[in-house]
Amino acid sequence: MTNHSETTGPFESNDISGQEPAATSADHATQVTLRTPAELADALPYLLGYRPEDSMVLVALHDHAGRRGRFGGRARLGIPATEEDWEAAARQLARGLVTGSERRGARPERMVAYVCQEPGPGESGRDVKRRLERLAQLMRTECGNLDVPVIEALCISDGRFWSYCCPVKGCCPEDGSPMGLPGTSVLAAAATYAGIQVRGSLRELRARFQPWETTAALEQEIALDAAGMSLVPRLLDETARQEVAEETLDLAERIIRRYGTAAPVSGAHPADVRDDNLLADDEAAALILGLQDRTTRDRAAAWMEGDEAGPALRLWRALARRCVGPYGEHAAAPLTLAGWVAWSMGDELEAREALAMALAADPDYLFARLLHQACNEGLDPEAVRRCLRTESARRTTPGTKERTDPAPRTALTEPPQPAAPAPAAGIQADDQSAEPGSRTGRQRRRRARNADGDDGRQTARAKGDRLRPADTRPRPSATRTSRPGTRSPITTRTRAVGPGDASAGGARSDAGRPQPEGNG
């Protein structure tokens, strides 16, 4: 533990990331020394890039070149709703950060721990501090078991903070100390100078992908029903499926151009409203159902860079918001595309959130699981971009025959061996959704595919006097040649468990999750 007036360590502009900070020349580093718990509390949003909510966070400290306590990797999990899960979550968080740091060759010497949660009904920040004290102690214990001491543990709630490590009785007020006004600290000034922005809360980021819950959702659902009655039979026909793919991609390209020429607006919410107004219900329905074909989805993933990337990301966000009512599972495709484009553009935070939400919509969506894992492990998306560029160039080369089999292997394609749980990866920066293979909503039973590839779901289900497609994914031909990385015609669909984070409902990691696959 440190004295509250003791220097904790320097904060450098290159430390704000989910990875270990890269070495920076002393001539170009912006350094701020944090000396008090108040400064540590103020630093948290800048360390993560957003304001955490319902979160347990660990920040690694390293000694470099005689400098004590330089910030390193960060890890975040959602606080489990039940106290029985706290110990497992604390263990997962500590081991994930230490293991990830070791894998990058920099085991932390010390840690700073945070628990962040707003008061519930009839609760005060002081009540939150007392309620979470056991969780903070578990985090300290788990770090201590790994020989990495926690030098400071803070609770942040209701605009105030408390220290669990203050060695002086009566030093800290019982009602906590007020947080400084956002943007007024020396650290805020240094971050602004370095071009670093705090993006608000994770709740605000997730809201950009969540389905509508307004009266407009009913009209969109009706459009999805109508499109399903028309498109599902065509998607189940091998020849017509190719026609649907071309129609889907042509429509998506037209809307991307439409978005690219739209007048800019200020603010995330106004921008999303503008994009929603530029997309008709029938257009959204045709795209959502057309993207359920994985080959079509993989071709759409090529809009990942240059002038197309920004409008494409806006389109995938808008489509995710249109997956209303019973069409929630269909959001896995646009959410995965949004996560991929965000990652390709360098926005790892949005990428992890979108991919985590894709896996919450469909835990068996392998493309999302592979991308999520690769993003969390700090891999370079350029390898995937190269594969997509090559395939796109092959399709546009005159005289090249369009392939009708599943999309080609990429750097993230599933290896040709039986599916196994993804290797445990270090929890990075901030995970905020259910881990791969978990379910945040209703439980789905396993389904076995028959020799024709039918997974047992009917092509339509009744709702009142209207019919709705239950599954728009095309049925693979039983005579199709099996390719590496694809499922054989007869398979049993199982849930894959991989790295992730703890959601608010249990000891799951809430970080991120990718890959082209048989059903994703």
Side-chain angles (χ1 to χ4, degrees), residues 26 30-31 300 338 373 386 493:
T30 301
Q31 179 172 308
Q373 181 177 337
R386 283 197 299 267
R493 192 172 178 187

Side-chain angles (χ1 to χ4, degrees), residues 241-310:
R241 182 167 67 91
Q242 299 304 313
E243 298 174 358
V244 174
E246 295 303 326
E247 294 168 5
T248 301
L249 293 169
D250 288 344
L251 176 58
E253 189 171 10
R254 290 200 304 273
I255 297 174
I256 287 174
R257 288 198 299 268
R258 184 187 306 168
Y259 277 9
T261 58
V265 297
S266 177
H269 179 66
D272 291 342
V273 171
R274 173 205 58 195
D275 292 342
D276 289 338
N277 292 334
L278 291 173
L279 182 63
D281 290 342
D282 57 343
E283 292 175 329
L287 289 175
I288 289 169
L289 297 179
L291 289 172
Q292 302 309 305
D293 174 66
R294 87 175 179 93
T295 306
T296 306
R297 178 212 62 200
D298 289 348
R299 291 175 62 183
W303 292 312
M304 62 194 170
E305 54 191 347
D307 295 337
E308 296 173 330

Side-chain angles (χ1 to χ4, degrees), residues 134-211:
R134 176 173 171 267
L135 175 59
Q137 182 59 44
L138 288 170
M139 295 168 66
R140 297 171 66 185
T141 300
E142 293 299 333
C143 290
N145 291 340
L146 298 171
D147 295 325
V148 183
V150 172
I151 63 169
E152 184 62 272
L154 299 174
C155 174
I156 300 176
S157 179
D158 197 24
R160 308 183 77 84
F161 71 90
W162 292 259
S163 171
Y164 292 116
C165 295
C166 181
V168 181
K169 185 177 181 180
C171 170
C172 301
E174 284 291 321
D175 291 331
S177 302
M179 299 281 293
L181 293 175
T184 61
S185 66
V186 175
L187 177 58
T192 301
Y193 178 78
I196 298 165
Q197 296 181 346
V198 176
R199 303 179 58 177
S201 68
L202 291 180
R203 183 179 304 162
E204 294 168 343
L205 181 57
R206 293 189 190 113
R208 308 193 74 179
F209 297 105
Q210 290 172 343

Side-chain angles (χ1 to χ4, degrees), residues 302-359:
W303 292 312
M304 62 194 170
E305 54 191 347
D307 295 337
E308 296 173 330
L313 177 57
R314 290 160 50 194
L315 174 58
W316 308 143
R317 288 194 199 116
L319 292 181
R321 295 192 293 269
R322 302 293 187 103
C323 293
V324 297
Y327 291 90
E329 182 177 303
H330 291 66
L335 284 168
T336 300
L337 288 170
W340 158 239
V341 176
W343 185 36
S344 182
M345 294 173 67
D347 190 343
E348 294 184 4
L349 175 60
E350 181 167 356
R352 282 190 297 269
E353 284 303 309
L355 294 168
M357 294 178 71
L359 288 165

Side-chain angles (χ1 to χ4, degrees), residues 7 14 22 31 47 57 62 86 115 142 164 216 222 236 259 273 282 308 325 400 416 430 433 447-448 468 473 479 501:
T7 299
N14 62 340
Q31 179 172 308
L47 292 172
V57 181
H62 302 281
W86 284 2
V115 289
E142 293 299 333
Y164 292 116
I222 293 172
L236 297 177
Y259 277 9
V273 171
D282 57 343
E308 296 173 330
T400 302
D430 54 304
S433 67
R447 293 179 285 265
R468 174 179 300 104
R473 296 179 191 155
T479 60
D501 357 49

